Amino acid sequence: QVQLVESGGGVVQPGGSLRLSCAGSGFTLGYYGIGWFRQAPGKEREGVSCISSSDDVRNYADSVKGRFTISRDNAKNTVYLQMNSLEPEDTAVYYCAADGSGFCSGYASTQDYWGQGTQVTVSS
């Protein structure tokens, strides 16, 4: 069955770092644009970052530019989100998603598959 499985979330102090992983099974992530989204309590789901299936195109939300880095390892069928200099405002459930168009649109409605989400909490 087609699955996306996220891992790496947890509790960290402000200024700390986490690396999230999104591992695919049942399909090849290399053919899809992969996006990271997040949703905090009482707020709408927002796009955080995405990476295209080719041409090494990457996008980031303004709120995370310079702090987060998205990458993929096609041999492991996995996409990563390195999160540095974390702030309390980064606290949310983080989801990865796959877009069959191969591009990163930043729109949740275009995604074909979703992971279950992983909680990231930034607090002192």
Side-chain angles (χ1 to χ4, degrees):
Q1 293 182 335
V2 172
Q3 285 187 298
L4 288 171
V5 180
E6 297 134 329
S7 61
V11 180
V12 65
Q13 293 184 336
S17 298
L18 289 171
R19 188 177 76 161
L20 305 184
S21 298
C22 176
S25 63
F27 72 113
T28 302
L29 268 62
Y31 296 145
Y32 290 77
I34 304 298
W36 285 96
F37 298 79
R38 68 185 182 187
Q39 187 166 22
K43 297 183 179 180
E44 296 182 355
R45 186 170 298 186
E46 63 174 346
V48 176
S49 183
C50 58
I51 185 168
S52 66
S53 62
S54 61
D55 300 325
D56 197 31
V57 175
R58 310 177 205 185
N59 287 325
Y60 300 92
D62 288 342
S63 59
V64 307
K65 284 182 179 177
R67 300 189 297 119
F68 291 9
T69 302
I70 190 169
S71 62
R72 63 162 82 231
D73 186 340
N74 287 338
K76 297 181 178 179
N77 213 32
T78 300
V79 173
Y80 304 98
L81 185 68
Q82 179 67 47
M83 309 165 67
N84 298 328
S85 302
L86 284 163
E87 304 168 353
E89 292 75 18
D90 296 316
T91 296
V93 177
Y94 283 70
Y95 303 87
C96 66
D99 187 338
S101 74
F103 302 100
C104 49
S105 68
Y107 297 112
S109 60
T110 69
Q111 309 303 314
D112 297 295
Y113 306 112
W114 289 87
Q116 79 288 349
T118 185
Q119 177 71 48
V120 172
T121 301
V122 185
S123 176
S124 61

